[in-house]
């Protein structure tokens, strides 16, 4: 059986090298990794929940160190987050939202995962009592404690399996709602490439909806061209435009439908670069701006929280050819006269969003904090502990 730390190191190295790309694949593989960590974790007779939580937290800290922007969308979840700006990839840590939500659906306030697990442990472990049974009762209690540890791990692994299933099926659940929102002869605008958006539009096409799609190309990676090719191949009339042409085209559009990297607790969206501009254009022309996002993209943090990193910078080579501009750029000392900044994400405030469509249905931006509260408890939000300063 592979060593747990070796599994974690392999996963972290893949993240560093960007070998796992896309939201769904990263979220799913993060959950699979933590399932392996939990299944191989030895639990003592006491403090079983604490041991499991600390093991999960240790893995979460390593992933956050490698990919803080990806950790925002999955902050407090087993699965990382993501933008889905690449259709060709299958589809970016912390404690499971799904396991908390499953236990919280029948309560007014979701319990802490710590409390949830300790309740299981306390109910399963028989407290030692004086007896005259001698060794037989001692052996019995030991067996019961060992059994309770196995049951605890089994319950947590089942919760992770449920989360993996939710991540796997979220595209289909969102796509099922397409016919409720896309109507005959409408013109839809999107930017870049999102697998969720692709499946959503194709689901409407399969239901015999006739509509057109305008795709902003999503510079500098031009993933919109990839999406346009996929849509055209499936028989959807598609037009590609430059990102800068969005304002010129928005008056001819009935609705904007886009994907997201993460949905914040205030209803704001961390999205692929360029979407703030699209959202402003939509608001100016009173065009609905609709965001598609699976539940694994919900983040319980607010943009002002210190843990939140709203963007990351990609390689300047996506914008300029180093060979052609090398005489103007000095990357070693930073003293060159030409500098390149290539942010990967935009922040779209909630007042620019008309509707969120998740795998649980459609929601207004003002409702997102309530929806997120169903998946998270405040006790489970802090994954990476801040180092304490000595006096």
């Amino acid at each position: 059986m592979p060593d747990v730390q070796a599994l974690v190191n392999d996963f972290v190295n893949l993240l560093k090298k960007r070998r796992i790309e896309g939201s769904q694949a990263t979220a799913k593989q993060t959950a699979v990794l933590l399932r392996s960590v939990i299944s191989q974790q030895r639990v003592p007779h006491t403090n079983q929940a604490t041991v499991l939580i600390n093991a999960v937290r240790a893995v979460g800290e390593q992933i956050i160190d490698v990919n803080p922007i990806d950790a925002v969308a999955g902050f407090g979840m087993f699965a990382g987050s993501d933008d889905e700006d690449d259709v060709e990839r299958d589809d970016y840590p912390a404690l499971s939202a799904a396991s908390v939500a499953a236990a919280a659906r029948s309560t007014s306030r979701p319990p802490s995962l710590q409390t949830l697990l300790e309740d299981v442990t306390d109910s399963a472990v028989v407290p030692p009592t004086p007896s005259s049974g001698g060794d037989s009762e001692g052996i019995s209690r030991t067996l019961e404690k060992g059994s309770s540890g196995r049951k605890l791990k089994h319950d947590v692994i089942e919760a992770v399996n449920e989360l993996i299933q939710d991540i796997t099926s979220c595209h289909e659940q969102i796509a099922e709602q397409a016919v409720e929102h896309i109507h005959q002869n409408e013109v839809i605008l999107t930017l870049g490439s999102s697998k969720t958006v692709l499946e959503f539009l194709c689901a409407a096409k399969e239901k015999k909806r006739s509509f057109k799609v305008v795709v902003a190309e999503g510079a500098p990676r031009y993933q919109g061209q990839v999406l346009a090719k996929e849509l055209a191949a499936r028989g959807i009339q598609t037009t590609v435009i430059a990102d800068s042409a969005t304002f010129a085209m928005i008056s001819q559009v009935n609705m904007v439908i886009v994907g997201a990297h993460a949905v914040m607790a205030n209803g704001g969206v961390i999205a692929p670069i360029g979407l703030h501009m699209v959202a402003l254009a939509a608001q100016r022309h009173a065009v609905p701006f609709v965001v598609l996002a699976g539940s694994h993209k919900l983040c319980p943090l607010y943009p002002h929280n210190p843990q939140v990193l709203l963007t990351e910078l990609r390689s300047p080579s996506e914008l300029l050819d180093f060979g052609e501009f090398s005489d103007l750029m000095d990357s070693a000392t930073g003293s060159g006269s030409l500098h390149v900044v290539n942010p990967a994400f935009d922040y779209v405030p909630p007042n620019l969003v008309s509707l969120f469509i998740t795998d649980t249905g459609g929601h207004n931006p003002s409702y997102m904090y309530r929806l997120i509260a169903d998946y998270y408890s405040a006790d489970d939000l802090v994954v990476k502990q801040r180092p304490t300063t000595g006096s």
Side-chain angles (χ1 to χ4, degrees):
M1 183 176 293
D3 176 73
V4 171
Q5 190 56 48
L7 290 174
V8 175
N9 291 340
D10 289 344
F11 184 80
V12 167
N13 288 333
L14 288 175
L15 287 179
K16 287 180 178 179
K17 297 175 182 178
R18 296 285 183 182
R19 296 289 178 83
I20 306 177
E21 298 187 356
S23 70
Q24 190 181 31
T26 309
K28 184 176 179 179
Q29 291 194 38
T30 303
V32 170
L33 169 67
L34 293 191
R35 182 176 62 187
S36 298
V37 171
I38 293 166
S39 66
Q40 297 183 39
Q41 180 65 40
R42 293 177 179 271
V43 293
H45 295 322
T46 59
N47 297 324
Q48 296 174 353
T50 301
V51 170
L52 286 180
I53 289 175
N54 288 341
V56 170
R57 178 174 283 122
V59 177
E61 288 181 1
Q62 294 182 62
I63 298 176
I64 290 173
D65 284 339
V66 173
N67 242 336
I69 185 65
D70 292 340
V72 167
F75 208 93
M77 294 181 67
F78 271 131
S81 74
D82 57 73
D83 73 331
E84 298 177 316
D85 58 355
D86 189 345
V87 173
E88 291 184 343
R89 41 199 200 194
D90 293 327
D91 277 301
Y92 289 100
L95 298 179
S96 170
S99 60
V100 176
R105 292 189 181 104
S106 61
T107 63
S108 58
R109 179 183 182 277
S112 162
L113 182 58
Q114 175 88 27
T115 303
L116 178 66
L117 294 181
E118 286 181 344
D119 284 346
V120 174
T121 305
D122 292 342
S123 62
V125 176
V126 178
T129 56
S131 69
S132 59
D135 292 342
S136 61
E137 280 203 25
I139 294 173
S140 176
R141 285 197 299 271
T142 301
L143 291 174
E144 287 174 353
K145 290 179 180 180
S147 175
S148 71
R150 289 191 296 272
K151 183 181 186 303
L152 175 63
K153 288 172 60 174
H154 173 78
D155 291 343
V156 176
I157 290 172
E158 283 301 308
V160 180
N161 287 335
E162 180 184 342
L163 176 60
I164 293 172
Q165 180 59 39
D166 288 345
I167 294 171
T168 303
S169 62
C170 71
H171 291 322
E172 291 78 7
Q173 293 174 351
I174 292 174
E176 288 174 358
Q177 306 169 59
V179 291
E180 302 173 15
H181 301 279
I182 297 178
H183 305 103
Q184 200 72 3
N185 299 321
E186 286 190 330
V187 179
I188 310 297
L189 185 142
T190 189
L191 180 142
S193 179
S194 164
K195 184 175 181 180
T196 308
V197 172
L198 172 65
E199 297 300 332
F200 191 83
L201 296 174
C202 290
K205 172 69 174 178
E206 291 172 0
K207 296 295 184 180
K208 308 303 181 182
R209 290 283 195 269
S210 177
F211 58 93
K212 299 178 181 179
V213 179
V214 177
V215 183
E217 59 187 356
R221 301 179 69 197
Y222 302 106
Q223 291 300 316
Q225 298 177 10
V226 178
L227 177 63
K229 183 178 178 179
E230 290 277 354
L231 293 172
R234 301 199 191 189
I236 298 175
Q237 297 186 49
T238 307
T239 302
V240 179
I241 63 171
D243 298 343
S244 56
T246 299
F247 260 99
M249 294 293 295
I250 197 71
S251 61
Q252 304 174 37
V253 169
N254 299 106
M255 183 185 304
V256 176
I257 300 178
V258 297
H261 178 78
V263 179
M264 309 302 291
N266 67 336
V269 180
I270 299 178
I273 194 71
L275 274 183
H276 193 173
M277 173 187 68
V278 175
L280 288 171
Q283 183 189 55
R284 180 65 181 269
H285 289 268
V287 174
F289 186 89
V290 178
V291 178
L292 310 182
S295 297
H296 62 283
K297 296 187 180 184
L298 302 182
C299 174
L301 301 179
Y302 290 83
H304 62 266
N305 289 135
Q307 304 98 318
V308 174
L309 181 64
L310 291 180
T311 193
E312 68 177 12
L313 298 180
R314 294 192 185 274
S315 171
S317 63
E318 293 182 350
L319 296 178
L320 296 178
D321 184 346
F322 281 130
E324 184 179 352
F325 292 91
S326 59
D327 56 330
L328 301 174
M329 304 169 66
D330 189 344
S331 58
T333 64
S335 59
S337 58
L338 179 63
H339 302 274
V340 180
V341 179
N342 183 20
F345 301 108
D346 259 343
Y347 172 70
V348 181
N351 63 295
L352 298 181
V353 179
S354 306
L355 182 70
F356 286 99
I357 300 177
T358 74
D359 39 318
T360 62
H363 307 284
N364 291 324
S366 60
Y367 183 75
M368 294 310 292
Y369 83 97
R370 293 288 302 274
L371 182 63
I372 290 171
D374 289 340
Y375 286 87
Y376 292 90
S377 172
D379 298 328
D380 293 327
L381 300 188
V382 178
V383 176
K384 187 169 184 179
Q385 305 290 346
R386 293 185 178 181
T388 56
T389 56
S391 54

